[in-house]
Amino acid sequence: MLAPHRTARVTYMLAIVTGLAWIVVQVTGAEAWVAEQAGFIPLRFASSNSGFVVPNWLTPFTATVVHGDLMHVTFNLIMLVYCGRAVEQVLGAVPLVALYLAGAVASAFAQYLVDPSSPVPMIGASGAISAVLAVYALLFSRNEVKALGPIPAHWVRALWLALAWTGVQWLLSFATSRGSYQIATAAHVGGFLVGLALARPLLAWRYRHA
């Protein structure tokens, strides 16, 4: 069994940077401008980058430190610290960074696939955190899962988690569809799926570098 790391410095660093970014934006009162400049906007990829401070390719990452209200950033920080600390203690710092960045890219890509002409900025770290949450669910799930025919048990667990997470996200999307706050359902699903896909490769990397 791999010896767990005793620290979770990357998780805390991500949480601190995200929290400080939200505070700075709130103090300056530039929420709308920051969301437009640093948020992920699918429509931007169909045009030039003129008029924007942040390059298009960088927005999947900068969007993770941009949040809306206090509830939005607080919930994301709680999930990041709770799941990220445990995952980092098992995988280590480098795999966690890779997982987080991959989740950010996958969430933006999924959101783009769903609505490539959307002018609405996608903001928040939920997609990246969904990738961390997926690995957390795989690592610490206590339910016994058996193989399903030729499908190994670990893939059965991943498939069940993927289906359950997708279902929950679509239900949340339906529940909030008439409100002012919209959930980036595709982004959450995309981040979670890439987390499920990367869990075993990252564990293997950790084993080779233990």
Side-chain angles (χ1 to χ4, degrees):
M1 181 176 179
L2 295 177
H5 290 245
R6 295 184 178 181
T7 61
R9 295 176 182 174
V10 169
T11 300
Y12 293 134
M13 180 186 69
L14 288 171
I16 291 171
V17 169
T18 302
L20 289 177
W22 182 82
I23 292 173
V24 169
V25 171
Q26 295 301 309
V27 170
T28 58
E31 297 97 325
W33 184 84
V34 172
E36 181 181 354
Q37 295 293 326
F40 174 78
I41 304 176
L43 185 60
R44 282 182 57 175
F45 288 80
S47 60
S48 64
N49 196 56
S50 60
F52 294 98
V53 176
V54 181
N56 291 343
W57 66 268
L58 195 58
T59 56
F61 307 110
T62 56
T64 63
V65 295
V66 182
H67 287 80
D69 56 20
L70 180 61
M71 182 178 295
H72 187 200
V73 70
T74 299
F75 180 78
N76 276 353
L77 289 178
I78 290 173
M79 292 300 296
L80 172 59
V81 172
Y82 183 82
C83 297
R85 192 170 68 92
V87 171
E88 184 177 354
Q89 288 176 350
V90 175
L91 296 182
V94 174
L96 180 68
V97 171
L99 176 65
Y100 196 82
L101 295 179
V105 172
S107 64
F109 183 67
Q111 197 66 24
Y112 178 85
L113 288 180
V114 170
D115 192 0
S117 61
S118 174
V120 180
M122 184 192 79
I123 59 174
S126 303
I129 295 173
S130 293
V132 178
L133 177 60
V135 176
Y136 177 88
L138 284 174
L139 289 176
F140 299 102
S141 175
R142 296 181 180 180
N143 295 330
E144 183 179 353
V145 177
K146 297 181 179 179
L148 185 62
I151 305 176
H154 65 273
W155 279 114
V156 174
R157 184 189 301 276
L159 289 172
W160 275 117
L161 287 171
L163 290 173
W165 182 253
T166 302
V168 168
Q169 293 306 310
W170 284 115
L171 286 174
L172 287 174
S173 177
F174 177 78
T176 59
S177 60
R178 296 184 179 180
S180 58
Y181 182 77
Q182 300 296 316
I183 296 177
T185 303
H188 293 180
V189 173
F192 195 84
L193 291 180
V194 83
L196 292 178
L198 289 178
R200 288 177 68 85
L202 290 177
L203 275 173
W205 187 93
R206 166 75 175 95
Y207 180 82
R208 290 195 299 270
H209 294 81

